[in-house]
Amino acid sequence: MKQRPMFPLFWRIFLSIWLAMAVTVVASNLATRMLLDREREAIERQAGLRDLAEEAIAIREAGDRGEAWRFLRDEGERLELFLVLLEQDENDGKLPSFIRDRMKSGWYPQKPAVLDVGGGYRLVAWPRVQGAGWLNPRFFRAIELGLALLMISLACWWIARLVSRPLKHMESTAQAIAAGDNSLRVSEKIAQRRDEVGQLATAFNAMTEQLCSLLERQKHLLRDISHDLRTPLTRQRIAIELANEAGADEELMASILRQNERLETMTGQILTLYRVTEAGGDIEREPLRLVHVINQVLKDAADYAEHQGVDCKLVVSPESSRASVLGDEGLLQRAIDNILQNALDHTPPGRAVHLAVTVADDWLTLTVDDEGPGVPDELIGQLFEPFFRADKSRGGTGWGLGLAIARDIVAAHDGVIGAAAGETGGLRVTLRLPVFFGGG
């Protein structure tokens, strides 16, 4: 396909402003000229001027030119006009130079009107300064400024629209893609523009296509690997149990069995992550008391916490004990368990993990504080990414999937999860879910 020629945005903006200025100058001149012409025509239409001219002609032809001049001067003052009576045969029928100059020059806002009054005479009239028939120069300047303001405002509006509309469209598209709608792209109309905005839209679509393709391949890879691993791991577990029953070395078999269980746990976590990601917000929901879910998680983790030598302390506000959320009990239990397990794994023996449940502004909040070594501020934002482990500050035996799974589960429940440095120096994970008011 033949590439369309470029029309850079710089030249679009430059030419738009230049054309706006040019149109302003031309339009203001045309408007000024039109108003002056109308002023002159208004003078020419005054029927009384012809009567005055006839009287002046009569006085002049009576032989008193001075009296005719004084008559026109007095009548001109009364009408707020300058009046000059000329014979057509004077100067070969041409108007006097001072009148021609006034009619041609742009320095005089009041233009003379020439009336043929018959008898070989012409009456020239133009408004006196500040007279009733005179248009003030400030009026013309106001017109020019008004036209300039209007034209430049229209040009600026067009430029702002030219640039902001496609950028706003790209911003909303990017936000929708970030929210999970990977099918959206910048519209073809914007991508086909022959400027930098069109190139940006084309590059944005190509980048989005590539990233979505990579993410899709990653999800399929994780799903396929997890499914393919489950069968051999199950068979391996059976083989280990049979070998153990047959009298094989118990310590060796126990070690192999522990590694097999770890692999099965990791496979289950990957499948859970894939299932939650695919389901998005389309999960089974029912009213739940979050405190009951937390108590169940603590009950299931009691043996592990005792083995780690870590105390779990739960504080529940009276309002939150009666508050409900709408969600999938199994998934919420998995999310809270992953958060708790992460805290237990990184809390030294003899220390405690603190859980607190509160409710405010229609949100139910669970905070989990551990007393571990904490996480550097620059790494906190990456804690919820799959397979990320802050090994330098927090050792552990996990795969970096627990908090990523918790994040996706909470997002599927229209909630928010975050991490920050805790008051005790460890890590604080905060989970917030909207309160359900329909009962529970």
Side-chain angles (χ1 to χ4, degrees):
M1 185 177 66
K2 186 178 179 180
Q3 188 174 6
R4 301 174 66 190
M6 280 284 294
F7 187 20
L9 193 61
F10 168 83
W11 288 110
R12 291 194 181 200
I13 296 174
F14 174 81
L15 290 176
S16 298
I17 296 176
W18 187 88
L19 286 173
M21 296 297 294
V23 170
T24 299
V25 172
V26 173
S28 62
N29 285 336
L30 289 175
T32 301
R33 180 168 296 182
M34 182 185 68
L35 289 171
L36 290 174
D37 289 342
R38 291 182 63 185
E39 178 187 48
R40 186 172 62 252
E41 291 170 0
I43 295 173
E44 293 174 349
R45 285 195 298 268
Q46 293 186 31
L49 291 180
R50 294 186 180 276
D51 296 335
L52 287 177
E54 291 175 0
E55 290 184 37
I57 292 171
I59 296 171
R60 181 168 179 170
E61 289 182 345
D64 194 347
R65 297 172 67 93
E67 182 64 25
W69 179 83
R70 285 189 292 274
F71 171 76
L72 290 176
R73 183 195 63 187
D74 294 341
E75 291 297 321
E77 290 178 354
R78 181 176 64 83
L79 297 173
E80 296 182 330
L81 293 174
F82 287 109
L83 300 174
V84 178
L85 186 65
L86 301 172
E87 293 186 36
Q88 292 187 1
D89 57 357
E90 294 179 358
N91 298 320
D92 298 327
K94 295 181 181 179
L95 293 172
S97 59
F98 76 94
I99 294 179
R100 293 200 306 268
D101 293 341
R102 183 176 290 273
M103 294 182 70
K104 294 178 180 179
S105 176
W107 292 101
Y108 298 102
Q110 61 274 26
K111 301 298 183 183
V114 181
L115 289 79
D116 291 322
V117 293
Y121 288 95
R122 288 179 291 183
L123 181 66
V124 181
W126 66 92
R128 291 176 180 268
V129 175
Q130 303 300 340
W134 180 71
L135 295 179
N136 195 308
R138 293 181 180 177
F139 175 68
F140 295 103
R141 285 197 292 270
I143 290 176
E144 292 175 355
L145 289 174
L147 283 172
L149 180 62
L150 175 63
M151 298 306 299
I152 293 175
S153 297
L154 288 174
C156 292
W157 172 83
W158 185 82
I159 291 169
R161 185 174 180 270
L162 179 74
V163 177
S164 64
R165 283 191 67 183
L167 293 182
K168 188 171 182 62
H169 173 72
M170 281 188 274
E171 178 196 5
S172 61
T173 302
Q175 289 178 347
I177 292 173
D181 190 354
N182 295 337
S183 63
L184 287 181
R185 298 293 182 273
V186 177
S187 71
E188 195 66 23
K189 181 179 179 181
I190 296 176
Q192 289 180 349
R193 283 178 46 154
R194 296 182 295 117
D195 56 17
E196 290 83 352
V197 174
Q199 289 182 325
L200 176 63
T202 302
F204 179 91
N205 283 343
M207 176 191 68
T208 305
E209 197 70 39
Q210 181 72 6
L211 289 176
C212 290
S213 175
L214 290 174
L215 288 173
E216 195 66 24
R217 285 160 57 188
Q218 181 191 50
K219 287 194 297 184
H220 288 170
L221 178 64
L222 289 175
R223 180 198 61 188
D224 295 342
I225 290 176
S226 300
H227 277 294
D228 292 343
L229 278 175
R230 299 200 86 174
T231 300
L233 285 174
T234 302
R235 292 174 180 173
Q236 185 186 62
R237 182 183 182 86
I238 294 172
I240 292 170
E241 292 175 353
L242 291 174
N244 196 28
E245 291 176 359
D249 187 286
E250 292 186 6
E251 186 175 347
L252 176 62
M253 289 298 102
S255 175
I256 295 174
L257 185 60
R258 282 196 301 272
Q259 298 304 317
N260 178 270
E261 290 174 348
R262 291 187 73 237
L263 284 173
E264 286 186 337
T265 302
M266 182 184 69
T267 302
Q269 286 186 331
I270 293 174
L271 286 174
T272 301
L273 180 62
Y274 176 79
R275 181 166 69 91
V276 174
T277 303
E278 284 294 297
D282 297 330
I283 56 176
E284 295 292 333
R285 299 170 185 256
E286 60 178 343
L288 301 168
R289 289 284 175 85
L290 190 64
V291 173
H292 294 171
V293 178
I294 295 171
N295 283 328
Q296 185 60 46
V297 171
L298 289 172
K299 181 179 178 181
D300 294 340
D303 292 340
Y304 183 73
E306 185 178 356
H307 178 266
Q308 294 287 99
V310 176
D311 233 357
C312 292
K313 299 180 179 180
L314 173 64
V315 178
V316 180
S317 68
E319 300 84 2
S320 60
S321 64
R322 298 185 296 271
S324 299
V325 297
L326 195 64
D328 183 297
E329 183 174 4
L331 289 177
L332 285 176
Q333 188 170 332
R334 168 62 70 89
I336 297 170
D337 182 67
N338 286 352
I339 297 170
L340 181 61
Q341 288 293 331
N342 182 75
L344 291 173
D345 286 340
H346 300 99
T347 301
R351 301 275 182 93
V353 172
H354 303 270
L355 298 90
V357 186
T358 57
V359 63
D361 299 328
D362 301 334
W363 287 88
L364 195 60
T365 303
L366 166 66
T367 58
V368 180
D369 288 274
D370 65 45
E371 296 183 2
V375 176
D377 292 340
E378 63 272 15
L379 298 180
I380 285 180
Q382 304 176 58
L383 287 177
F384 297 97
E385 297 299 323
F387 300 106
F388 176 80
R389 295 171 60 196
D391 291 331
K392 294 181 180 179
S393 60
R394 294 164 71 90
T397 58
W399 301 276
L401 287 171
L403 292 181
I405 293 171
R407 177 199 64 184
D408 288 345
I409 291 175
V410 172
H413 287 78
D414 304 318
V416 180
I417 191 171
E423 296 179 357
T424 59
L427 181 71
R428 166 175 288 184
V429 177
T430 303
L431 183 157
R432 301 176 71 227
L433 295 170
V435 174
F436 175 65
F437 294 100

